[in-house]
């Protein structure tokens, strides 16, 4: 069983009631769609006792050095599906983490920078972080991130950003899904569990897994939460 979890923003207890082993004693796989927003990898270690855990990063995962180090500075970086196609329980899942930002690339506009190295060549030294791109942009999507997936095939594409026809979606994600031949896109970032109507233009399904929500591999919601935090 493969489950897709919407932005947890530091809280994971809502997932535990759904993490039951199957009849053969195998734990479910859980794929988190970004914005884990944790300060220590110990949170993931506890959750992984109950499931086969995978994720992509979101914009909140590079807001602080602690949040960044919890994912990229630990052994958990290998479980980040960004720019990868990983077979999980016989299903090929491709990942595109992060968000689009205007200072790098805001589709459909042309990108200002092609990849992190290109950006660093024009970035003032005092803005660099740990001898590389600024911390904020460690979760920014570059054209090179998308291009690394274009020549591969997958059954499912997971993204933090939304594709079209979400009101805040990006057609470049639809194009990527089409080129990869995926059957389903699961995305996070938008907390409202946006419902996609059937669209003859797309040969795949799209599911918005909202704030602390959970779906199965067919896009059926097992849990829907409303983001009632103070904004």
């Amino acid at each position: 069983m493969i489950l897709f979890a919407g932005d947890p923003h530091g809280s994971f207890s809502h997932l535990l009631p759904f993490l039951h082993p199957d009849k053969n004693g195998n734990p479910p796989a859980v794929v988190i769609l970004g914005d884990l927003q944790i300060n220590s990898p110990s949170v993931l270690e506890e959750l992984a006792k109950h499931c086969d855990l995978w994720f992509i990063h979101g914009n909140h995962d590079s807001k602080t050095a602690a949040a960044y180090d919890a994912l990229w500075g630990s052994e958990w970086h290998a479980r980040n599906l960004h720019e990868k196609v990983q077979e999980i329980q016989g299903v090929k899942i491709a990942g595109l983490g992060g968000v689009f930002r205007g200072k790098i690339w805001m589709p459909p506009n042309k990108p200002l920078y092609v990849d992190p190295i290109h950006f660093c060549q024009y970035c003032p030294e005092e803005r660099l972080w740990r001898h590389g791109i600024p911390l904020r942009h460690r979760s920014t999507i570059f054209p090179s991130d998308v291009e690394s997936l274009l020549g591969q095939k997958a059954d499912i594409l997971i993204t933090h950003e939304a594709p079209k026809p979400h009101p805040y979606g990006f057609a470049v994600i639809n194009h990527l899904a089409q080129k990869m031949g995926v059957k389903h896109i699961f995305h996070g970032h938008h907390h409202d569990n946006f419902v996609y109507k059937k669209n003859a233009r797309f040969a795949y399904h799209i599911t918005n897994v909202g704030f602390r929500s959970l779906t199965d591999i067919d896009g059926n919601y097992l849990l829907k939460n409303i983001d009632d935090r103070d904004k």
Side-chain angles (χ1 to χ4, degrees), residues 83 103-104 112-125 128-134 137-138 140-145 147:
E83 290 190 90
K103 290 187 177 180
I104 305 295
L112 299 178
Y113 304 96
V114 174
D115 56 37
I117 294 176
H118 183 205
F119 178 75
C120 287
Q121 289 175 336
Y122 293 91
C123 185
E125 186 174 353
L128 297 178
W129 187 70
R130 296 181 180 176
H131 308 291
I133 61 175
H137 289 304
R138 302 289 173 114
T140 297
I141 299 172
F142 285 80
S144 59
D145 298 323
E147 290 169 5

Side-chain angles (χ1 to χ4, degrees), residues 192-204:
D192 51 4
N193 291 304
F194 181 83
V195 177
Y196 290 91
K197 298 179 181 179
K198 290 184 179 180
N199 191 320
R201 289 190 301 151
F202 305 130
Y204 46 80

Side-chain angles (χ1 to χ4, degrees), residues 3-8 30-36 54-59 61 81 93-98 156-161 185-190 207-210 213-215:
L3 305 176
F4 296 89
D7 306 16
V30 173
V31 182
I32 300 175
L33 303 174
D35 281 355
L36 286 75
W54 302 86
F55 63 89
I56 51 173
H57 58 272
N59 50 300
D61 296 317
L81 294 173
I93 300 178
L96 180 66
I156 290 174
L157 173 63
I158 59 168
T159 63
H160 191 59
E161 286 279 24
I185 299 175
F186 291 86
H187 74 86
H189 194 36
H190 302 289
T207 301
N208 178 184
V209 191
S213 298
L214 189 69
T215 75

Side-chain angles (χ1 to χ4, degrees), residues 10-29:
S11 179
F12 301 86
S13 59
H14 61 286
L15 299 175
L16 296 178
F18 300 91
L19 305 185
H20 304 296
D22 64 18
K23 60 183 180 181
N24 296 317
N26 299 314

Side-chain angles (χ1 to χ4, degrees), residues 6 89 111 202 221 230:
Q89 296 186 8
F202 305 130
Y221 288 96
D230 292 334

